[in-house]
Amino acid sequence: MCGIIGIAGDQSVTNRLLDGLKRLEYRGYDSAGIAVIENNKDGDILKRRRAQGKIVNLAERIKQEPVDGVLGIAHTRWATHGAPNETNAHPHFAGRVGLVHNGIIENFSQLREQLKGKRSFQTQTDTEVVAHLIDEAMNTGMSAKDAFANTLKQLTGAFALGVIIDGIDGTIFAARRGCPLAIGLGDSENYIGSDAMALATLSTRVIYLEEGDWAIITKDSVEVFDENDTAVVRETTIVSTSMAAAEKGNYRHFMLKEIYEQPETVSHTLTHFIDAFHYKAKTPKELELENLDWRKLERLSLIACGTAAYAAYVAKYWFEQLALMPVDVDIASEFRYRKPALSKNTLAVAVSQSGETADTLAALRYCQSKGLQTAALVNVLESTMAREADFAMPINAGPEIGVASTKAFTSQLTALLSLAIAAGVQRGHISEEREHALIQSLTQIPRLITETLKLDKDIEALALDLSKAKSAFYLGRGVHFPLALEGALKLKEISYIHAEGYAAGELKHGPIALIEEGTPVIVIAPSDEMFEKTVSNMQEVSTRGAKTILITDAKGAKHAKDMADAILICPEVCPETAPIVYAISIQLLAYHTAVHLGTDVDQPRNLAKSVTVE
Ligand code: AGP
């Protein structure tokens, strides 16, 4: 994931920026760069040095062509829009503006169109557009502060920004929307960083910007403004100097941090699997899956365990609906023992966060022994599955520390939906126009996740009731049936409350006998074509005393306003991407229930992050 660091002070910054980038290496990246305002005989000049690959390459570049100053920003980039090369590496320059960015600017194409004829672009990145907007606004006479604030209002998406401007001495402009950004306080120096880790050796006094905040930082001052440009005072946290605590930042648990990272992590998954610049799903060749041809495949076999298996179950609907490709989904521990009748033209995909799960690895090896093409969709590219499969596909979610999988799940879903779209296009079932619309919907996910995270307090309140229950049901139809399974798993594994996920239409075939007064039933139902039927299933349990929580959108809430005991209103989402956005609400529901119960959220009893035994 991208990393940002900046220093506004009165001492040399270059080496400390490089040190800060090194502390961000754990996030993964493919290029890096720094920009400083260098003070020399010609006055202050904005300069940068960038390099593809690791930070050692950047350090070498700086050694060859030194730059330094007392104000600077730096960035490790995870290829977003545009190839992972030096040209597309941050910081991006436009006129007097130098800028680093993390996340995704959803409407960059439209903004680029607005600047056509006025500005010449050097890259294909979404980031560069932001630098041009700020510079263009200042060309019209706007102050730097107003130009920055005005530009933020034009952006749609999930992002964190750091900006320095030639002629605006000693000042960093920063903003946070969907992607975390922190301010570090020093002695006649102040800093910005993606997280406490980035700032760990610079400061232990940290201000975590809140959603929509932006800030102006100099060596002696920090001004923070909320999304309405009102000056606000944000709390200063004293961060433990321990790296582990720093990694958690201002979150109580790794799981909560990873839930909140999802606008950023989904952005990174997206950029590997789609070309948002051209609104296209990447072909297998572009994904370096050279011999994979979706047209020649008869079947897909998705094999996984636990949360990863539920991502695979969702993907079955996508591949069959979008690519008309038959899909088998198997729990890995069952797969090879059922002696599956496999056909040669089947691609077997192991879906695994760790890439080490013994059952899934054994299933992968079984498929290889039967002569199938195999792929591994993993979060750990150095894992055994990634090494042994014919194709390795990274979900780029960054290290997932919490045992209960959250960001890996939404990144697995994002990757699988992107692949299903690519398969549909290649097999001739998705028109260019529909592909454009689907890719547009994919690029909206980080922002919609950010919107859903704003429901956190409402969900925490619902969780208080749920924490008193002895058992619970999760219901869903279509792609939301596997999401119901995942919701129940999340609740079980971290709160230890028994829960069952069920196809909403199936409850009346037996399990409804378990419904009694006060049984909590969580119903996942956006206002899609299945909504009416799902709501009537909800009423079947309500009449038998169930306490229902309906997770829907505004339209669904309006329709069902008197039918559920509680309604959680999620943002409007298209049917295809809904499971990815709705996953956030069930993750937060399980998280807050567990916190109410005081369980060990990050390392629940009996569980392991990677189950390397059968
Ligand atoms: C996830 O919440 C659990 N830790 C578990 O179900 C996990 O998803 C399963 O063990 C598979 O792990 P993997 O994705 O690393 O293969």
Side-chain angles (χ1 to χ4, degrees), residues 304-310 351-358 360 385 400 402-406 408 412 486 489-490 493 607-611:
C305 299
T307 294
Y310 300 144
V351 182
S352 174
Q353 189 284 131
S354 62
E356 300 297 348
T357 299
T360 312
M385 283 183 222
E400 186 176 66
V403 164
S405 186
T406 50
Q412 286 161 350
E486 168 59 10
L489 175 63
K490 287 272 97 47
E493 58 186 341
L607 294 186
K609 183 58 191 168
S610 177
V611 183

Side-chain angles (χ1 to χ4, degrees), residues 39 45 59 65 118 121 136 140 162 172 178 187 203 208 213 232 254 266 310-311 353 436 439 477 508 552 555 612:
N39 184 303
I45 303 178
E65 306 164 82
K118 285 191 233 174
F121 288 89
E136 193 61 20
T140 65
I172 297 176
D187 299 327
S203 169
Y208 291 97
D213 283 356
V232 290
F254 276 108
V266 164
Y310 300 144
Q353 189 284 131
H436 186 124
I439 298 299
R477 279 177 179 262
K508 54 187 173 296
T552 184
K555 198 170 152 213
T612 52

Side-chain angles (χ1 to χ4, degrees), residues 475 477 504-508 512 521 523 525 529-544 548 550 559-560 563-564:
L475 303 183
R477 279 177 179 262
E506 181 63 8
L507 210 67
K508 54 187 173 296
I512 201 166
V521 177
V523 181
E529 59 182 9
M530 314 285 265
F531 179 75
E532 300 287 346
K533 288 185 183 303
T534 308
V535 166
S536 61
N537 297 142
M538 182 176 72
Q539 289 174 303
E540 286 160 10
V541 295
S542 284
T543 51
R544 289 166 174 80
T548 52
L550 174 60
H559 178 94
M563 303 175 192

Side-chain angles (χ1 to χ4, degrees), residues 83-373:
N85 56 29
E86 180 176 339
T87 309
N88 290 329
H90 302 205
H92 283 283
F93 280 6
R96 56 173 77 79
V97 175
L99 180 140
V100 291
H101 159 232
N102 188 10
I104 198 163
I105 307 293
E106 232 174 274
N107 62 332
F108 80 98
S109 292
Q110 296 89 316
L111 294 171
R112 197 178 167 110
E113 200 52 38
Q114 282 170 19
L115 291 169
K116 211 167 182 174
K118 285 191 233 174
R119 311 291 300 196
S120 67
F121 288 89
Q122 318 304 318
T123 76
Q124 284 193 342
T125 65
D126 53 336
T127 306
E128 187 188 353
V129 172
V130 185
H132 284 289
L133 286 170
I134 297 168
D135 190 59
E136 193 61 20
M138 291 183 74
N139 289 346
T140 65
M142 256 190 219
S143 68
K145 175 180 175 183
D146 291 345
F148 187 68
N150 177 278
T151 297
L152 293 178
K153 290 180 175 54
Q154 299 178 63
L155 306 182
T156 306
F159 52 82
L161 296 173
V163 172
I164 55 177
I165 300 174
D166 211 346
I168 309 293
D169 279 358
T171 305
I172 297 176
F173 297 85
R176 178 231 157 113
R177 193 189 302 174
C179 293
L181 195 66
I183 294 170
L185 304 179
D187 299 327
S188 74
E189 272 198 336
N190 291 308
Y191 318 97
I192 62 168
S194 296
D195 56 25
M197 276 290 277
L199 299 168
T201 55
L202 294 168
S203 169
T204 57
R205 291 180 293 143
V206 174
I207 295 171
Y208 291 97
L209 291 180
E210 295 187 11
E211 205 38 49
D213 283 356
W214 58 281
I216 302 175
I217 298 106
T218 68
K219 74 182 183 68
D220 300 315
S221 67
V222 171
E223 294 174 278
V224 181
F225 304 89
D226 67 13
E227 56 192 350
N228 302 313
D229 300 344
T230 307
V232 290
V233 175
R234 296 297 185 210
E235 183 193 351
T236 300
T237 305
I238 304 302
V239 177
S240 150
T241 49
S242 85
M243 285 305 187
E247 267 180 42
K248 247 189 316 198
N250 59 329
Y251 293 101
R252 188 171 167 187
H253 298 102
F254 276 108
M255 181 175 175
L256 187 61
K257 176 174 181 258
E258 286 152 9
I259 289 173
Y260 270 80
E261 275 179 346
Q262 290 175 106
E264 185 183 349
T265 49
V266 164
S267 303
H268 292 123
T269 308
L270 272 179
T271 57
H272 180 77
F273 286 93
I274 65 166
D275 170 353
F277 191 78
H278 300 101
Y279 290 102
K280 292 191 68 54
K282 285 183 183 171
T283 64
K285 190 168 173 50
E286 287 165 319
L287 291 170
E288 294 162 21
L289 307 176
E290 296 308 330
N291 306 326
L292 180 60
D293 183 338
W294 295 110
R295 289 163 301 196
K296 293 186 183 138
L297 288 174
E298 284 166 16
R299 286 192 91 77
L300 203 54
S301 172
L302 304 178
I303 309 159
C305 299
T307 294
Y310 300 144
Y313 275 120
V314 173
K316 173 183 173 70
Y317 290 82
W318 287 331
F319 274 95
E320 295 197 342
Q321 290 168 10
L322 297 173
L324 275 66
M325 180 180 281
V327 179
D328 299 313
V329 178
D330 279 273
I331 297 291
S333 54
E334 288 294 313
F335 175 72
R336 64 193 192 283
Y337 300 113
R338 70 175 178 82
K339 300 196 177 11
L342 299 173
S343 70
K344 281 271 187 275
N345 281 338
T346 298
L347 173 68
V349 183
V351 182
S352 174
Q353 189 284 131
S354 62
E356 300 297 348
T357 299
D359 288 318
T360 312
L361 178 57
L364 181 70
R365 289 170 175 167
Y366 179 87
C367 291
Q368 287 178 324
S369 71
K370 299 295 180 188
L372 270 60
Q373 271 191 318

